[in-house]
Amino acid sequence: MASVNQCIASLARLSISAPIRPVNATIPRFLAPSIVQTRCKSAGSMAMRAREREKEKLKKKRRQQRFKEYKYATPSKEEQFSLCDAMRYLRAAEVGRPPSSVTYELALKIRTPKNSPVLRSRIRLPYPIKNDTRVAVICKEGSGAMHDARASGAVAFGEESLFELIKANPNKLPFNRLICHVDSEPALKKAGLGRILGPKGLMPSLKTNTITKSVKSLMHEMVGAEVYRERIGAIRMPIGNIQFTPKMLADNVKTLVTSVKENIVNLEDKVKKDLVEVVLTSTNGPGFSLNGGFNPTDERIQPAHLSTAM
């Protein structure tokens, strides 16, 4: 029989030894709990929610400002040239091409907000590029306006006869400009020619200054005049033939730039616009940013050298 001391010693060894870890028992699927606790993001305090709303507003404002202006509103970082230098390089790029088919073109980059009023006007250049304007006049039969249209060289005039001509040949109109006398405006609206003349840009309206009281003065202004319009933050317009002298081209450029600046001033109350860059190019040549100078940088080249035939 074991003594008391031996019993106490065996009990002490059992209490000191490491306990046996239980084995994880697998639970059948049908006994697993069907409701699982989900953790949700805490709503936070009112101050935290207000800060989050401010951050969202700031992000939205930045996204709107990023695309608020057209990409053309940013001036290029390329080298700028005087008018004679740009003409010299463009003439070299057009060598071997028929001079009658090559023209200079001017691009004016405008810093303007999107969906704002556009710049548009009609300008009479000191040295016109082409003179193939064919004007038709909507006026009452036998009126003084009809007499002025005939004397000024209109290719077609009248009311009902002109309306029938337009409806009969919508794709082969004998004119490329159409004006209307004030007294014939109700007849024009009643004729319903907007679907034919609208897509061609020929529909007379007060906005385009093609409805007038004086047919004679408006025809004199339109013959030899050019129409320009701002599109996607830029104004592009032919400014001269490749055979123009530097003096002739400079006068046309100054006239166009002055007219555009005047239109910008007239729209200051509605929208802010800025002329940021003037680029001269040709039919097949690259674009050269103008710095406002006239004389060439090479002393050996004179403006008279650019006045001769190519």
Side-chain angles (χ1 to χ4, degrees), residues 9 29 75 119 123 147-148 156 165 183 200 216 239 252 284:
R29 184 175 296 179
L119 301 174
I123 185 175
H147 176 73
D148 292 340
L165 175 64
D183 297 339
K200 302 178 186 297
K216 184 177 180 180
I239 202 67
N252 284 357
N284 302 286

Side-chain angles (χ1 to χ4, degrees), residues 47-62:
M48 292 175 61
R49 293 197 296 270
R51 285 196 297 269
E52 290 180 359
R53 287 195 298 268
E54 292 296 330
K55 289 181 180 179
E56 292 296 331
K57 289 182 181 179
L58 184 60
K59 289 181 180 179
K60 185 177 180 181
K61 185 177 180 181
R62 287 177 178 174

Side-chain angles (χ1 to χ4, degrees), residues 209-273:
N209 195 23
T210 49
I211 297 179
T212 180
K213 295 180 179 179
S214 177
V215 173
K216 184 177 180 180
S217 61
L218 183 57
M219 284 194 63
H220 176 72
E221 182 183 349
M222 292 185 71
V223 174
E226 296 288 341
V227 178
Y228 67 83
R229 185 180 187 276
E230 175 191 348
R231 289 182 175 85
I232 319 179
I235 296 175
R236 295 177 177 83
M237 177 179 169
I239 202 67
N241 189 272
I242 197 68
Q243 295 178 328
F244 276 19
T245 64
K247 177 67 168 58
M248 296 168 63
L249 192 63
D251 291 344
N252 284 357
V253 170
K254 290 179 182 177
T255 303
L256 177 58
V257 172
T258 302
S259 177
V260 171
K261 288 183 178 180
E262 290 177 356
N263 288 346
I264 292 176
V265 173
N266 295 334
L267 291 177
E268 278 187 349
D269 298 336
K270 299 180 181 180
V271 64
K272 183 179 179 181
K273 294 176 178 282

